Amino acid sequence: MTAPSMRRLTAVELRKMTDTRSGRWLLIIVALAAVAMVGVVIFAAKPGDRTLKEMFVASQTGVAILLPILGILAVTNEWSQRTTLTTFALVPERHRVAGAKMFAGAVLAAAAVIVGGVTAVVGRALAGMLGRADGGWTFPPSLIGTLVLAAAIGVLAGVAFGMIFMNSPLAIVLFILVPTGWTALGETVKAFNRPADWLDQNRTMNALYGTGMTGEEWAKVGTSTALWLLLPLITGVIRLARRDLK
């Protein structure tokens, strides 16, 4: 029997992410958050900040906060619902399943950014009709790429934490608390302040939401991503490969 292609595995994992009640509701909330945040820009931002760019960036709030949780659930739900017996019986190469989950997460990240972009365009048009659009329509095309990158990093980090802990509540809590704790140390302890400039994703990732990133900013994004994404992914894939099925 021919092994399923990576494209087919990715399609299957994408359906798993979107075909559950928790997955659907998370995606709905992400979309509603985009609408709400664009509304905040229209009605609460300063006149000069009511631009398409600011609305586009604001629409990604839900993507940054909630989409990684979907990445966690894409892994942990299989173990809690014991569908891993079926998954790994059909595809014994566990690293291929892990890869398909990552690709599916990246596809969802790109789709979420597109939905946010459409929401921002509609919001900017509505603001113009209401006479609340003092800012312009222009934004740098590179912003689309950096927002997709930021969303993909978040989702893949969620997948990584899911593979490490394989327990939904534990993975979600630690995914939120560990980076938050590191941010708190960087803000309150002087000795951690400078390392946090390179290792705290809450600082480094902010550059992806702006324009005209410098070489140093890219280096900081790469360093923090290696710590919070690459290292957990390697650890998670190893744990996934070694865990016994029950």
Side-chain angles (χ1 to χ4, degrees):
M1 183 177 67
T2 304
S5 65
M6 183 57 70
R7 180 178 179 180
R8 184 173 184 181
L9 288 177
T10 301
V12 170
E13 293 299 333
L14 191 58
R15 182 175 180 181
K16 288 180 184 178
M17 289 183 177
T18 59
D19 203 27
T20 63
R21 184 179 300 175
S22 58
R24 284 194 298 269
W25 272 109
L26 272 174
L27 292 174
I28 290 172
I29 294 173
V30 167
L32 291 177
V35 174
M37 292 308 298
V38 168
V40 169
V41 174
I42 294 174
F43 294 103
K46 296 179 180 178
D49 292 335
R50 298 170 193 160
T51 64
L52 178 59
K53 173 185 173 294
E54 293 299 328
M55 293 179 189
F56 194 8
V57 171
S59 73
Q60 300 305 302
T61 303
V63 175
I65 297 174
L66 297 176
L67 213 57
I69 296 177
L70 190 58
I72 292 173
L73 296 178
V75 179
T76 57
N77 279 350
E78 291 226 69
W79 293 93
S80 62
Q81 298 174 12
R82 298 184 180 181
T83 56
T84 49
L85 293 171
T86 302
T87 299
F88 295 133
L90 295 173
V91 187
E93 302 91 345
R94 299 189 186 183
H95 65 279
R96 296 188 70 225
V97 176
K101 291 182 185 296
M102 295 177 205
F103 282 127
V107 170
L108 271 183
V113 172
I114 292 172
V115 170
V118 172
T119 304
V121 170
V122 173
R124 176 60 181 80
L126 179 61
M129 295 171 58
L130 296 175
R132 301 189 64 84
D134 300 295
W137 279 87
T138 59
F139 71 92
S142 61
L143 183 62
I144 299 175
T146 55
L147 290 181
V148 170
L149 178 61
I153 289 173
V155 176
L156 295 181
V159 172
F161 269 69
M163 289 191 294
I164 291 174
F165 299 105
M166 298 183 187
N167 177 283
S168 300
L170 180 62
I172 292 171
V173 169
L174 290 179
F175 181 82
I176 296 172
L177 286 184
V178 174
T180 302
W182 174 241
T183 298
L185 282 175
E187 295 293 337
T188 58
V189 180
K190 187 176 181 180
F192 288 100
N193 197 340
R194 182 159 181 78
D197 286 339
W198 289 81
L199 300 177
D200 181 5
Q201 277 197 316
N202 288 325
R203 293 189 187 185
T204 63
M205 295 291 285
N206 284 335
L208 294 176
Y209 296 90
T211 57
M213 288 182 63
T214 65
E216 182 178 346
E217 287 173 333
W218 278 115
K220 289 179 178 180
V221 169
T223 303
S224 63
T225 299
L227 174 64
W228 296 105
L229 174 58
L230 185 59
L231 183 60
L233 270 180
I234 294 172
T235 305
V237 170
I238 293 173
R239 176 160 164 72
L240 182 71
R242 295 181 176 180
R243 180 167 180 175
D244 293 332
L245 297 178
K246 298 180 181 179

